[in-house]
Amino acid sequence: MQDIYLLAGIAILILVLVSINYINLSFAHALKRTQQIGIRKVLGASRKNLILQMGLESTILFVGSFLIAFLCMCLSVQHLNTI
């Protein structure tokens, strides 16, 4: 049972690291959208609003992908238990 807890802890650590990496990559990708940012600045958006928008987009994508992955895991656990 101790090995299961150890492996579960390692899996959770990997998920956290992957999540942080994904958020960082999303922010890097968002920085490439300079045309969109330029248009928003011309229309009067502040730096705080732009940062908030990019952060929210990344967070929403992360939460959505996490929920899909969690759903797939829940559906496959029953099949894997039979194996």
Side-chain angles (χ1 to χ4, degrees):
M1 195 64 180
Q2 198 172 24
D3 290 338
I4 292 174
Y5 287 135
L6 177 68
L7 291 174
I10 292 171
I12 290 172
L13 179 66
I14 290 172
L15 281 174
V16 168
L17 291 174
V18 167
S19 302
I20 292 170
N21 187 34
Y22 175 77
I23 291 171
N24 286 335
L25 288 174
S26 294
F27 273 119
H29 178 70
L31 292 176
K32 292 182 180 180
R33 298 187 298 179
T34 56
Q35 182 180 9
Q36 179 186 7
I37 292 171
I39 292 171
R40 290 192 182 276
K41 285 200 116 199
V42 167
L43 294 174
S46 67
R47 179 182 169 110
K48 182 180 176 181
N49 288 341
L50 292 172
I51 292 172
L52 182 65
Q53 177 192 358
M54 300 301 168
L56 283 175
E57 286 178 6
S58 298
T59 303
I60 289 170
L61 281 172
F62 165 72
V63 169
S65 61
F66 181 80
L67 291 175
I68 290 170
F70 187 74
L71 178 65
C72 289
M73 183 208 59
C74 288
L75 293 174
S76 65
V77 163
Q78 294 173 350
H79 176 67
L80 292 174
N81 281 339
T82 61
I83 295 173

